[in-house]
């Protein structure tokens, strides 16, 4: 690579970084603005909007509601996705490619189409709009991501480990819990964090499957209908910080687990 090519690549890289992070920085800054309207110039700074959201019972309740849905849907997604990965990974059977394609289908269907179909299906099963419907909808969307991550990890598991467990008298269930599952923990941690973020941020399925109690993205959408406010920026900034902290923790945990495996 020539010197001019390296310079060009560096310029493109930093231009992308600026394009990616400047909107986030502006969003955080607007949360400190001493005014009820978004825009420049910023004549004064205040913590009012940030302290206000921690004193707002509605925001805290909606946040807890969204976290409950995210945790529940993630737990279901991990259980189902791991089972699908273990079924598809080592086994060879006719129609495996079709089953794999059907497993990945919820991840590639447009969100609006998925939300409408899930709403119709929930009605057919007599599941009322609300927490249960949202959890099931998020789970359907998240299972393919868990299956793909776990299958990638499962492909690196040496077959000799399973064979050694079988030689020592372990049946399939014991071998799974003693050998396979511990080996999959780094993948499960990464997939779990990813599913939690997907569920917490999912607006379309939450909007179509929810009832009168909104999730956080639906609440922000409702607040936007009455105009932009620094309170929205403050909520978004807090969620951004929590997401970044969770992502960094997951990345460090995965590195530590990978070193130990």
């Amino acid at each position: 690579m020539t010197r001019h090519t390296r310079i060009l690549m560096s310029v493109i890289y930093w231009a992308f970084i600026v394009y990616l992070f400047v909107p986030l920085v502006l969003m955080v800054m607007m949360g400190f603005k001493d005014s009820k309207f978004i825009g420049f110039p910023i004549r004064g700074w205040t913590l009012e909007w940030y302290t206000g959201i921690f004193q707002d019972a509605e925001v805290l309740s909606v946040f807890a509601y969204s976290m409950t849905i995210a945790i529940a849907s993630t737990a279901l997604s991990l259980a189902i996705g791991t089972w699908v990965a273990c079924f598809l990974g080592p086994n060879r059977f006719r129609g495996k490619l079709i089953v794999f394609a059907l497993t990945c289908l919820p991840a590639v269907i447009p969100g609006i189409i998925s939300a409408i179909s899930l709403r119709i299906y929930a009605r057919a099963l007599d599941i009322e709009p609300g927490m249960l419907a949202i959890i099931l909808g998020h789970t359907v969307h998240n299972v393919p991501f868990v299956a793909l991550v776990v299958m990638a990890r499962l492909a690196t598991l040496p077959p000799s480990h399973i064979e050694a467990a079988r030689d020592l008298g372990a049946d399939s269930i014991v071998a799974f819990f003693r050998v396979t599952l511990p080996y999959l923990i780094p993948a499960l941690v990464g997939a779990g964090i990813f599913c939690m973020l997907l569920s917490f941020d999912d607006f379309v399925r939450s909007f179509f499957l929810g009832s009168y109690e909104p999730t956080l993205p639906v609440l922000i959408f409702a607040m936007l209908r009455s105009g932009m406010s620094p309170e929205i920026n403050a909520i978004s900034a807090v969620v951004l910080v929590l997401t970044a902290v969770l992502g960094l923790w997951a990345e460090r945990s995965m590195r530590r687990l990978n070193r130990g495996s």
Side-chain angles (χ1 to χ4, degrees):
M1 183 181 293
T2 64
R3 180 172 178 270
H4 294 291
T5 304
R6 287 197 300 269
I7 293 175
L8 179 61
M9 294 298 292
S10 298
V11 170
I12 294 174
Y13 172 77
W14 287 109
F16 174 74
I17 293 296
V18 170
Y19 174 78
L20 186 65
F21 285 100
V22 165
L24 298 178
V25 173
L26 292 178
M27 178 194 69
V28 175
M29 289 174 56
M30 289 300 168
F32 292 100
K33 185 179 180 181
D34 189 13
S35 172
K36 293 184 178 181
F37 303 100
I38 299 296
F40 289 99
I42 301 177
R43 303 187 185 278
W45 303 87
T46 180
L47 291 173
E48 175 187 355
W49 304 109
Y50 285 93
T51 57
I53 61 176
F54 289 104
Q55 298 171 357
D56 191 329
E58 182 185 14
V59 172
L60 295 178
S61 174
V62 169
F63 181 84
Y65 182 70
S66 299
M67 283 300 301
T68 302
I69 290 174
I71 293 172
S73 63
T74 298
L76 283 174
S77 300
L78 289 175
I80 299 172
T82 302
W83 176 82
V84 171
C86 292
F87 173 71
L88 290 176
N91 298 323
R92 293 185 178 182
F93 55 90
R94 183 176 299 178
K96 178 179 178 179
L97 186 59
I98 297 176
V99 176
F100 177 75
L102 291 175
T103 301
C104 298
L105 194 60
V108 298
I109 294 177
I112 186 68
I113 304 301
S114 174
I116 293 173
S117 61
L118 287 170
R119 177 62 181 259
I120 296 172
Y121 188 61
R123 281 294 189 183
L125 295 178
D126 289 331
I127 299 176
E128 293 296 326
M131 178 183 286
L132 178 59
I134 297 175
I135 290 174
L136 295 178
H138 289 187
T139 301
V140 170
H141 181 250
N142 292 343
V143 163
F145 300 102
V146 176
L148 290 173
V149 173
V150 174
M151 285 178 66
R153 176 71 174 176
L154 197 60
T156 64
L157 175 63
S160 58
H161 290 189
I162 304 296
E163 294 171 1
R166 294 288 182 84
D167 292 340
L168 293 173
D171 57 19
S172 299
I173 297 177
V174 174
F176 173 79
F177 282 103
R178 293 291 184 89
V179 179
T180 306
L181 188 59
Y183 188 82
L184 294 177
I185 285 179
L188 294 176
V189 171
I193 297 299
F194 186 68
C195 288
M196 281 192 64
L197 296 179
L198 280 179
S199 177
F200 190 83
D201 190 52
D202 196 323
F203 166 75
V204 178
R205 274 163 283 269
S206 299
F207 182 79
F208 275 83
L209 297 172
S211 59
Y212 295 105
E213 188 172 4
T215 61
L216 189 62
V218 177
L219 176 66
I220 293 175
F221 173 74
M223 295 170 67
L224 282 171
R225 298 180 67 179
S226 60
M228 286 291 295
S229 166
E231 183 181 9
I232 298 175
N233 293 79
I235 295 173
S236 303
V238 171
V239 172
L240 175 65
V241 171
L242 292 176
T243 301
V245 171
L246 188 61
L248 291 173
W249 173 82
E251 193 270 341
R252 292 189 62 181
S253 299
M254 289 181 65
R255 284 189 178 184
R256 185 167 60 251
L257 290 170
N258 280 321
R259 286 197 298 267
S261 61

